[in-house]
Amino acid sequence: MKYFIILVLLFLHLTAQQNKQELTIGAGPYFQSQPYKEASALVLPSPVIFFDNSVVYARWSRFGLYFLGDKKEEYSWGFSFTVQPRTLGYKASDSVSLQGMSDKDSTMEGGIAFSAGYKDSAYIEVMLLADILNKYNSWIGSVEIGDKYTAGRFTFYPSAVLLYQPRKFLDYYYGVKNSEATLQRPAYMPKGGFSFAVQTYIKYPLTKKLSALLNIRADRIPNSAYNSPLVNNKFIYSGLASVIYTFIY
């Protein structure tokens, strides 16, 4: 992981424009609940990088390369190639309810994103991403709308997300094959469906360059996924607690 972070920072430096650039780096624990019966929550160390020089960008753990766009004083827009991790799945040994199932792995997704922002505050982002590690062998689409608010020394970045997850995605993570079926776990193939999420970043300055950053998110899975015999939670809750350092170079 440390070599990956070094390569990312080197890449950001080499692609920086002549004017001064702002870079934020940090790390902290990432938490994600599981929708599966009796499955333990995920707790992982996570790097945190924020950077955007109108050529490349980093947004927490998602990275992108612009190929078309424009940036003005009041607004900006851009099309980019992007890649991000997908932290979902289970090991069959995670719980009694999952025994006899094939393991389902997390993966990496890559695709195209369009983003537009107004006065470094309100924004919209549309993404179409495919599974580049061939785990669920399909794609997902999402639309996110967010804004920026301040209250005292706190800064909030709330947003709402609408996602479409097709049948192959949901079948991989929530389906039950005939060969995996039991009396308590019948065969099941979910249909594609929409889900939604709400989240916010919360930033609080500790010093001039050092800040605490929290992320809190709740995803409601599609009804066809919730009807799976593997599932007993409609929501996936996730969050990040980190310390970040921002500097100009």
Side-chain angles (χ1 to χ4, degrees):
M1 179 62 73
K2 66 179 181 180
Y3 299 110
F4 174 72
I5 297 174
I6 292 172
L7 287 174
V8 169
L9 295 178
L10 177 62
F11 181 63
L12 297 180
H13 175 73
L14 293 176
T15 55
Q17 298 174 337
Q18 295 300 316
N19 56 318
K20 294 292 185 178
Q21 302 296 323
E22 182 178 281
L23 175 62
T24 297
I25 58 174
Y30 171 74
F31 163 87
Q32 180 180 300
S33 69
Q34 291 278 54
Y36 308 107
K37 295 178 179 178
E38 304 170 1
S40 300
L42 299 175
V43 181
L44 304 168
S46 174
V48 179
I49 305 174
F50 289 98
F51 178 82
D52 193 325
N53 68 349
S54 300
V55 179
V56 297
Y57 63 82
R59 297 169 187 166
W60 183 358
S61 58
R62 182 164 71 87
F63 303 92
L65 171 67
Y66 291 108
F67 62 88
L68 183 65
D70 192 16
K71 187 173 184 179
K72 302 295 185 181
E73 185 175 341
E74 289 195 346
Y75 70 89
S76 63
W77 64 272
F79 287 91
S80 63
F81 299 111
T82 189
V83 62
Q84 69 174 18
R86 166 68 58 179
T87 53
L88 187 61
Y90 58 81
K91 298 294 183 183
S93 58
D94 283 353
S95 75
V96 174
S97 300
L98 297 172
Q99 289 181 4
M101 296 292 300
S102 299
D103 293 345
K104 306 301 181 184
D105 299 321
S106 296
T107 188
M108 293 292 294
E109 297 167 339
I112 296 177
F114 168 77
S115 59
Y118 178 69
K119 290 187 176 180
D120 196 29
S121 181
Y123 71 90
I124 183 171
E125 185 165 51
V126 182
M127 294 194 296
L128 186 64
L129 303 175
D131 175 15
I132 60 179
L133 297 184
N134 296 320
K135 299 300 181 181
Y136 61 83
N137 293 308
S138 188
W139 56 273
I140 64 167
S142 68
V143 179
E144 180 175 356
I145 298 175
D147 208 340
K148 175 183 176 181
Y149 301 93
T150 58
R153 299 187 67 191
F154 289 92
T155 306
F156 298 87
Y157 304 86
S159 64
V161 189
L162 177 66
L163 305 100
Y164 180 76
Q165 298 170 339
R167 180 189 61 81
K168 281 189 176 181
F169 177 93
L170 295 178
D171 189 37
Y172 179 77
Y173 286 113
Y174 302 106
V176 179
K177 300 176 182 177
N178 289 328
S179 59
E180 299 168 329
T182 66
L183 290 176
Q184 293 76 30
R185 187 178 62 214
Y188 184 72
M189 180 182 290
K191 298 179 181 179
F194 287 93
S195 65
F196 66 86
V198 290
Q199 71 167 343
T200 187
Y201 289 91
I202 305 172
K203 183 179 178 182
Y204 184 82
L206 302 174
T207 67
K208 186 176 180 180
K209 295 184 177 181
L210 203 64
S211 300
L213 180 70
L214 299 177
N215 173 267
I216 303 171
R217 176 167 173 151
D219 287 73
R220 189 191 189 283
I221 65 176
N223 287 333
S224 60
Y226 179 65
N227 292 332
S228 168
L230 304 178
V231 172
N232 65 351
N233 290 302
K234 285 186 177 181
F235 289 89
I236 298 174
Y237 300 99
S238 60
L240 170 78
S242 64
V243 175
I244 55 175
Y245 181 78
T246 301
F247 61 95
I248 307 293
Y249 71 97

